Amino acid sequence: MIINGTSSQDVAIADRGFNFGDGHFTTIKLTAGQAQLFDLHIARLEQACKVLAIEFNQWDVLTAAITEQAQALQEGVLKVTITRGEGGRGYSAIDCSSANWYLQHRAIPAQYCEWARSGIELMVCEYQQTVNPVLAGLKTLNRLDQVMIKQELDANSMADGLVCSTEGYLIETSVANVFWVTAGKVYTPSTKRSGIEGVMKTHVSNLLDSLGVELETGHYTIDEMLVADEIFITNSVMEVVPVKRIMTPDLSIDVCYEKPYTLSQMIKRVVKWRR
């Protein structure tokens, strides 16, 4: 692990990221020594620092370190974390030290390649995700919603599942954003009140726009999505994964497609050559 530019495994217990989840992160896919969607990841980190009012002035050092690690490691996932630092009085950040940054390398989950080839089965989770318009869209260090969702998935022997907010609207899966196609139009849930605005979601949205494919973002229920012609999920590491089946409390809905060229397959190809 790299901490503030130095190789170390010692994380200060006084770090506010550890104590209060006072920070945020992004996960970058490394391919052939390159950090994929690098500019979008940096933009995400900058936006989170702005919203959380974290004063971070080491962008040049951080970006150089990410580039160096990508070239050295070649493949995998690089998790980039920024915390407010150490100190403050209780929750107050007054007199807090300067921000800390961390780089951690992990392997790409093996199942992601299989999902990309064969599709994924999802369940509809009972757990509902909290609503917080101020923090919505950010990938903060407070991931207890996802921990609870994953416990439900593990108990049902499912890899991933669709999650609604406490307001009853579809938001995302435990690890990915959701898109679906109905009558040639693409839909994706809004993350303005809950959920994470993924880097790959932004990239795919930009690609759809460049291809002239209409994308509508809004508040939708599970039932509205279940009538779709095609469903796929995205994140920066798995990229684009088609959904082949959705398990609901009452029935299993098969959303496999016989068409050889579905939108998700096309987007997967475009993602590969436009990064």
Side-chain angles (χ1 to χ4, degrees):
M1 180 166 60
I2 306 296
I3 304 179
N4 296 330
T6 302
S7 179
S8 176
Q9 296 297 319
D10 299 324
V11 178
I13 196 169
D15 191 303
R16 293 175 64 89
F18 175 81
N19 281 282
F20 308 126
D22 192 359
H24 56 94
F25 70 102
T26 195
T27 48
I28 304 176
K29 186 174 185 178
L30 307 181
T31 305
Q34 299 295 314
Q36 303 298 321
L37 304 179
F38 183 78
D39 290 344
L40 290 179
H41 282 288
I42 294 300
R44 157 189 267 182
L45 294 171
E46 290 176 338
Q47 174 65 10
C49 279
K50 180 179 179 180
V51 174
L52 298 176
I54 293 177
E55 295 183 8
F56 187 77
N57 56 11
Q58 302 181 63
W59 294 110
D60 290 343
V61 176
L62 176 60
T63 55
I66 293 171
T67 301
E68 181 181 344
Q69 285 294 295
Q71 293 173 348
L73 298 166
Q74 290 291 305
E75 308 286 339
V77 180
L78 195 64
K79 181 178 181 181
V80 185
T81 303
I82 296 176
T83 73
R84 196 179 304 276
E86 304 170 29
R89 183 175 178 83
Y91 293 126
S92 174
I94 295 176
D95 295 328
C96 182
S97 70
S98 59
N100 291 324
W101 58 271
Y102 304 82
L103 301 182
Q104 297 171 269
H105 179 251
R106 300 171 179 174
I108 295 174
Q111 65 269 28
Y112 280 9
C113 290
E114 177 59 29
W115 292 350
R117 285 194 301 268
S118 305
I120 187 173
E121 294 186 2
L122 303 176
M123 65 175 279
V124 176
C125 296
E126 292 184 7
Y127 184 88
Q128 294 180 314
Q129 194 155 289
T130 53
V131 172
N132 186 335
V134 175
L135 300 180
L138 304 183
K139 201 165 186 177
T140 71
L141 296 181
N142 295 281
R143 296 290 96 205
L144 281 178
D145 274 337
Q146 284 65 40
V147 171
M148 297 297 291
I149 293 163
K150 187 58 178 174
Q151 288 179 347
E152 181 180 347
L153 293 170
D154 289 343
N156 287 276
S157 300
M158 294 294 293
D160 202 1
L162 295 165
V163 184
C164 292
S165 70
T166 53
E167 295 175 323
Y169 295 114
L170 174 63
I171 300 298
E172 56 196 8
T173 79
S174 70
V175 296
N177 291 117
V178 185
F179 292 82
W180 64 91
V181 186
T182 303
K185 187 175 181 179
V186 186
Y187 299 82
T188 190
S190 170
T191 57
K192 292 187 180 298
R193 295 183 60 77
S194 182
I196 294 174
E197 187 70 8
V199 164
M200 184 55 71
K201 178 185 177 182
T202 300
H203 184 50
V204 168
S205 298
N206 292 340
L207 289 176
L208 290 173
D209 183 62
S210 70
L211 294 169
V213 178
E214 186 176 4
L215 173 66
E216 182 175 301
T217 301
H219 301 295
Y220 310 103
T221 64
I222 288 284
D223 288 342
E224 289 177 286
M225 184 208 62
L226 290 178
V227 299
D229 301 315
E230 177 182 358
I231 303 167
F232 58 95
I233 63 176
T234 67
N235 75 25
S236 60
V237 181
M238 71 169 65
E239 297 182 352
V240 180
V241 169
V243 175
K244 63 182 179 181
R245 188 167 293 107
I246 295 176
M247 311 292 292
T248 73
D250 302 318
L251 72 162
S252 170
I253 297 177
D254 194 328
V255 289
C256 292
Y257 308 100
E258 296 181 358
K259 295 180 181 179
Y261 299 105
T262 61
L263 180 63
S264 63
Q265 290 171 328
M266 180 187 74
I267 289 297
K268 281 195 289 187
R269 295 189 183 96
V270 175
V271 163
K272 294 295 185 184
W273 62 261
R274 289 206 179 182
R275 283 186 308 197

